[in-house]
Amino acid sequence: MRTHRIVVEIGDFSRNGGRKLVARVSKIIVNKWFEEGATRKNDIALLKLTQPVSESYVIRLCGHERRPETLFYTSSEPRFPHLPSGCPEDTVCVKSVFQFSNVCAMDEGNPLYTFECDSTIPQCLYGVTSYYRNKNFPYSMCDEGSFFASIHHLYEWIHLVMETA
């Protein structure tokens, strides 16, 4: 893939009018264990930028700390029709709390954060949008769960790539 045409917008998107930077991509690193199918495994790629980014724009990765079971479903509950044995270890499975709040078409690659208590300030990056499901397509859309590549699961690989890329 040609990287000279890919740019990334960097900034605080929780605030209107916040400072944003645009950076070009010099390299795309796809996880070598990526598997495409009905459910995607290790669905993440890293982008190397042509210029360094200030630490003030960086949100840390959620790594080896315990997975917040109270925030996300991670093992057997809830059951999804396409995951009869529960949510896989490499995936964070999320059901909507509010109607129409799932990720949907063209949301792939968006972040899943944990937030600081009583705020909208991201604490760390917990997952990256991988895919979504529809319950009764075409009559309903994006209503059968959101599925994210787990940063917790990919933490070691991400750090290895960052050190060697």
Side-chain angles (χ1 to χ4, degrees), residues 99-162:
Q99 188 176 13
F100 308 119
S101 65
N102 267 6
V103 296
C104 203
M106 300 183 60
D107 283 340
E108 292 86 346
N110 281 324
L112 174 64
Y113 299 120
T114 59
F115 290 99
E116 293 179 10
C117 290
D118 297 322
S119 81
T120 58
I121 298 170
Q123 186 178 34
C124 62
L125 179 65
Y126 198 79
V128 176
T129 307
S130 181
Y131 65 99
Y132 60 92
R133 286 285 182 250
N134 299 317
K135 193 184 306 182
N136 298 310
F137 187 77
Y139 303 106
S140 61
M141 280 224 11
C142 313
D143 60 353
E144 189 59 26
S146 301
F147 305 90
F148 299 81
S150 168
I151 296 301
H152 178 82
H153 178 77
L154 297 163
Y155 189 80
E156 296 295 329
W157 175 80
I158 292 168
H159 276 279
L160 178 66
V161 168
M162 289 173 64

Side-chain angles (χ1 to χ4, degrees), residues 4-151:
H4 69 279
R5 293 185 179 171
I6 300 173
V7 294
V8 175
E9 193 173 54
I10 303 161
D12 183 350
F13 295 92
S14 67
R15 296 183 191 148
N16 287 333
R19 208 171 47 138
K20 294 178 178 62
L21 301 173
V22 175
R24 293 197 179 282
V25 173
S26 66
K27 186 176 183 181
I28 301 170
I29 303 108
V30 176
N31 189 309
K32 66 182 179 180
W33 296 289
F34 169 67
E35 293 178 28
E36 192 165 11
T39 62
R40 299 178 188 144
K41 296 188 180 299
N42 301 302
D43 185 15
I44 196 168
L46 301 179
L47 304 176
K48 183 175 182 178
L49 305 179
T50 57
Q51 62 205 44
V53 175
S54 166
E55 287 287 324
S56 65
Y57 287 101
V58 175
I59 296 171
R60 72 178 185 86
L61 300 176
C62 299
H64 294 293
E65 60 268 2
R66 190 166 114 46
R67 293 169 70 152
E69 303 295 328
T70 56
L71 298 177
F72 309 113
Y73 300 107
T74 56
S75 57
S76 60
E77 293 296 329
R79 297 281 187 199
F80 294 94
H82 73 289
L83 297 171
S85 58
C87 188
E89 180 65 26
D90 65 338
T91 305
V92 179
C93 302
V94 179
K95 282 245 185 191
S96 295
V97 176
F98 305 106
Q99 188 176 13
F100 308 119
S101 65
N102 267 6
V103 296
C104 203
M106 300 183 60
D107 283 340
E108 292 86 346
N110 281 324
L112 174 64
Y113 299 120
T114 59
F115 290 99
E116 293 179 10
C117 290
D118 297 322
S119 81
T120 58
I121 298 170
Q123 186 178 34
C124 62
L125 179 65
Y126 198 79
V128 176
T129 307
S130 181
Y131 65 99
Y132 60 92
R133 286 285 182 250
N134 299 317
K135 193 184 306 182
N136 298 310
F137 187 77
Y139 303 106
S140 61
M141 280 224 11
C142 313
D143 60 353
E144 189 59 26
S146 301
F147 305 90
F148 299 81
S150 168
I151 296 301

